[in-house]
Amino acid sequence: MSIKEADRVLPVTTRESDSTRERRSVLRPSRIRLYEPLVIGTLSVVLALTVWQLVANARIWSVLFLPGPWDVAQAFVQLFQSDDIWLDIATSGEELAIGYGMAIVIGLLIGLLMGWYTRFQYALDPFVNFFYSTPRIVFIPIFILWLGIELQPKIAVIFLGAVFPIIINTMAGVRNTEAALLRVARSFGASDALTFRRVVLPGSVPFILTGFRLGIGHALTGLVVAEYIAAKHGVGQIIAIASQTFQTPKAFAGVVLIACTGMLLTTVLHRIENRFQSWRPQIK
Amino acid sequence: MYDRSAKLAAKGVVIEYWLQRSRSLFTAVKGVDLEVRPGELLAIVGPSGCGKTTFLNAVDGLIPIAGGSLTLDGREITKPGRDRAMVFQQPGLLPWRTVLGNVVFGVEAQGSMSKGEAIARAKQQIELVGLKGFEDAYPLELSGGMQQRVNLARALLTDPEMLLLDEPFAALDAQTREMMQLELLKIWSQTRKTALFITHDIKEAIYLADRVIVFTRRPGRVKTVVDIDLSRPRDLRVKRDPQFLTYEDEIWESIQEELAVPAERLIAGVPAA
């Protein structure tokens, strides 16, 4: 290459690598880019609600069949003005808290034991497989027969729903401990207890939290279906009664309430998961 | 003939293990006789899959020996102990712990030091391996060379009688590897710990060691012992010393004889240990 050519080529490349566009994308995303997920997400929700409202306004179907978002919003407000709503929420909340709480404690314990002790896993695997591959809501009629229509059958089905994803993920977390780390621990003469506490358990945390998060979905399914079938109070019961009595907007409002609960709990767990991942380098 | 002056003594060491897949007994090492003298840095080289890492694992007490005897200071080695510390080929750092947290892990596992003392000494050790200022960094934020420094510091903090190094620089790029060799010599010259260093890199072995042992192909045993008579401290220029090159030729020839084996023996379908 002649000097002349080099002169011609060089400034161009320098200018390109110096261009503000490139620098921005590499070093620091612009403000718009930072909020892009939020902005696009919000816009798409607004668009969906608008289309829904327009379709509902056209009244091709009656409000009993397809209420618009505005009808649902009004029903939602009305719902919270009624006297029973707090009892319903409290009932469902109690069922969820007890059932899911028990699932966390027992699922974690069994999952850790199954992961750590192979023979314990061999003993329990058939049961875990049996229950996990069966939709747990099929047990509701049996639970109602055994436990009545109060809180207990709901707690039982919520527990059964949530406990297995927690067991399975916790066990996977323990089993997935890197062999190299276990070898290091053994080489330095670490006791089993110390290896478990300092190596296996912290390494399993991401798996365990994933189990918790998956458990929430199963728990809510159990809660609502159990309340549909037979209950005195509860958000699931609101939805069931509202749709049977053609209060469709109210049924929709109940659905929104359940969905919000699920999203809230899942988001909280996502936040906790991220907190435990602070050691991972941030790759965007 | 038991040599009282030996730190580590291996006599007729045999290591076997059961291969589930082929349902056969696999002999990794057969009849290793060697001695590591106090304060000596001994390197073992050999063709890949010759069982040198397996032998080191047995010295660490991670795998049992099937025959012969293996003693450190006259005591039989049966399990990992505080008198030995391993620097692993893969750093094996806890990703959720900082550099400091990882360096103390060895003594924490041994339960040989109070927490305060461990942290204070770990900080010195981190400085010694050249990681000052990175105490609070997480392993995934470090380069491969820096991770190996943590690996080394963790072993050194336990203050073992004998340091075992399993190809610690094998996964590093050429430049980093040379830097790390230089650093290791610097650190080693300050402590003069008895060390057993496994490598497949002949130059590395000569550069670091007082003696280099060549293993035969599998099942491995000692083939040649080469005394490395190069003055210390050694800088990287030693690698171009005529004497260095003579050693290199000698060792390379010895290994080459082991590589010149019928093809069917090389592809016996057995994974390297």
Side-chain angles (χ1 to χ4, degrees):
Chain A
M1 197 198 295
S2 74
I3 295 168
K4 227 174 164 184
E5 273 177 67
D7 277 343
R8 211 149 26 108
V9 173
L10 268 175
V12 177
T13 44
T14 337
R15 212 183 302 140
E16 250 178 14
S17 67
D18 252 11
S19 79
T20 42
R21 211 190 90 219
E22 192 156 319
R23 270 170 62 190
R24 227 189 257 149
S25 64
V26 172
L27 297 174
R28 193 172 51 142
S30 72
R31 254 166 197 282
I32 294 169
R33 268 219 149 157
L34 214 58
Y35 292 114
E36 213 174 53
L38 190 68
V39 171
I40 294 180
T42 311
L43 283 178
S44 88
V45 170
V46 169
L47 184 70
L49 287 176
T50 312
V51 170
W52 179 13
Q53 186 68 58
L54 289 175
V55 172
N57 280 353
R59 282 288 161 250
I60 304 166
W61 301 282
S62 82
V63 71
L64 291 185
F65 195 78
L66 181 74
W70 184 244
D71 305 314
V72 174
Q74 281 176 319
F76 200 82
V77 172
Q78 266 172 24
L79 190 63
F80 274 86
Q81 281 164 351
S82 71
D83 297 331
D84 290 344
I85 182 67
W86 296 111
L87 181 60
D88 287 316
I89 289 180
T91 308
S92 295
E94 192 181 342
E95 293 161 353
L96 191 65
I98 298 176
Y100 185 66
M102 278 168 50
I104 282 186
V105 173
I106 293 173
L108 191 60
L109 195 72
I110 294 182
L112 291 175
L113 286 171
M114 284 179 76
W116 190 240
Y117 298 107
T118 320
R119 291 191 175 121
F120 196 72
Q121 190 206 340
Y122 295 157
L124 289 195
D125 250 349
F127 300 100
V128 171
N129 285 335
F130 174 82
F131 281 106
Y132 192 59
S133 36
T134 312
R136 263 56 48 80
I137 52 175
V138 302
F139 296 106
I140 294 172
I142 301 171
F143 288 150
I144 289 174
L145 178 71
W146 286 348
L147 302 166
I149 58 165
E150 299 279 338
L151 269 54
Q152 294 89 334
K154 285 93 184 176
I155 292 171
V157 80
I158 291 167
F159 170 77
L160 270 195
V163 80
F164 292 103
I166 295 175
I167 290 177
I168 286 170
N169 278 280
T170 304
M171 183 171 72
V174 175
R175 296 258 155 208
N176 268 292
T177 307
E178 235 182 285
L181 295 182
L182 291 177
R183 216 160 65 103
V184 170
R186 211 156 78 78
S187 172
F188 285 107
S191 66
D192 278 1
L194 187 128
T195 306
F196 185 79
R197 265 203 335 270
R198 300 276 186 258
V199 180
V200 174
L201 201 55
S204 308
V205 166
F207 288 81
I208 294 170
L209 291 175
T210 304
F212 286 180
R213 194 156 46 78
L214 293 175
I216 286 175
H218 289 262
L220 284 174
T221 310
L223 170 74
V224 175
V225 176
E227 286 185 353
Y228 281 171
I229 293 177
K232 287 181 175 165
H233 307 283
V235 180
Q237 186 67 7
I238 294 178
I239 300 172
I241 292 176
S243 55
Q244 282 157 17
T245 54
F246 302 107
Q247 297 172 273
T248 314
K250 193 177 174 186
F252 269 72
V255 170
V256 171
L257 190 56
I258 296 283
C260 288
T261 311
M263 276 168 62
L264 181 74
L265 292 174
T266 309
T267 309
V268 167
L269 267 168
H270 249 310
R271 287 275 163 85
I272 299 175
E273 279 178 62
N274 287 341
R275 262 184 67 111
F276 276 96
Q277 308 270 340
S278 61
W279 47 269
R280 274 188 212 283
Q282 301 229 317
I283 299 162
K284 264 271 166 180
Chain B
M1 40 157 229
Y2 174 68
D3 185 357
R4 288 216 158 268
S5 69
K7 192 92 186 163
L8 179 88
K11 287 197 174 50
V13 170
V14 179
I15 303 169
E16 296 172 331
Y17 37 102
W18 180 254
L19 285 177
Q20 189 60 39
R21 198 143 46 104
S22 57
R23 295 175 181 280
S24 58
L25 204 58
F26 170 67
T27 309
V29 159
K30 196 173 187 176
V32 174
D33 291 291
L34 64 84
E35 274 166 2
V36 186
R37 301 166 190 150
E40 177 183 45
L41 202 162
L42 182 82
I44 299 179
V45 294
S48 67
C50 71
K52 51 193 190 295
T53 290
T54 307
F55 177 72
L56 191 75
N57 282 334
V59 174
D60 195 33
L62 288 171
I63 52 174
I65 56 173
S69 81
L70 200 53
T71 55
L72 180 62
D73 287 327
R75 295 184 305 270
E76 198 79 35
I77 291 173
T78 52
K79 57 179 199 301
R82 289 183 193 179
D83 47 5
R84 284 148 288 147
M86 178 94 99
V87 181
F88 297 86
Q89 184 174 356
Q90 299 301 326
L93 306 177
L94 302 173
W96 53 86
R97 279 200 182 190
T98 61
V99 167
L100 186 65
N102 270 290
V103 172
V104 298
F105 181 72
V107 287
E108 183 184 339
Q110 291 182 344
S112 53
M113 229 182 252
S114 74
K115 199 178 172 187
E117 191 188 358
I119 288 173
R121 291 223 199 155
K123 284 182 177 161
Q124 292 170 13
Q125 205 60 253
I126 288 168
E127 198 171 342
L128 184 69
V129 299
L131 281 179
K132 197 172 165 57
F134 288 93
E135 289 85 351
D136 297 326
Y138 288 100
L140 291 176
E141 298 166 342
L142 303 179
S143 69
M146 289 161 95
Q147 290 185 15
Q148 283 306 57
R149 286 167 197 257
V150 179
N151 189 0
L152 178 65
R154 179 177 59 194
L156 288 173
L157 186 64
T158 66
D159 194 22
E161 287 288 312
M162 192 170 176
L163 198 58
L164 311 174
L165 302 106
D166 180 16
E167 307 200 34
F169 310 142
L172 305 178
D173 64 87
Q175 274 175 33
T176 313
R177 191 183 313 152
E178 295 226 310
M179 282 308 299
M180 290 298 289
Q181 290 167 0
L182 192 68
E183 290 266 336
L184 179 69
L185 274 193
K186 215 163 72 189
I187 294 163
W188 178 77
S189 66
Q190 287 174 33
T191 55
R192 287 276 166 171
K193 281 228 179 295
T194 313
L196 186 56
F197 192 102
I198 304 292
T199 178
H200 60 257
D201 182 339
I202 298 169
K203 280 189 177 179
E204 182 171 85
I206 302 167
Y207 177 60
L208 296 174
D210 296 307
R211 284 191 301 152
V212 175
I213 282 183
V214 180
F215 262 34
T216 65
R217 63 174 173 259
R218 194 186 62 241
R221 83 200 120 71
V222 175
K223 183 180 189 197
T224 341
V225 184
V226 182
D227 282 289
I228 306 298
D229 206 5
L230 298 168
S231 65
R232 294 185 190 270
R234 299 173 188 167
D235 59 24
L236 287 168
R237 271 170 301 187
V238 175
K239 291 189 179 183
R240 291 188 294 276
D241 190 294
Q243 186 58 41
F244 189 99
L245 301 177
T246 313
Y247 290 137
E248 196 179 342
D249 281 344
E250 187 182 345
I251 294 168
W252 175 235
E253 247 164 62
S254 184
I255 291 181
Q256 215 164 16
E257 286 166 19
E258 295 304 313
L259 292 174
V261 285
E264 66 266 22
R265 288 203 57 176
L266 280 176
I267 47 167
V270 181

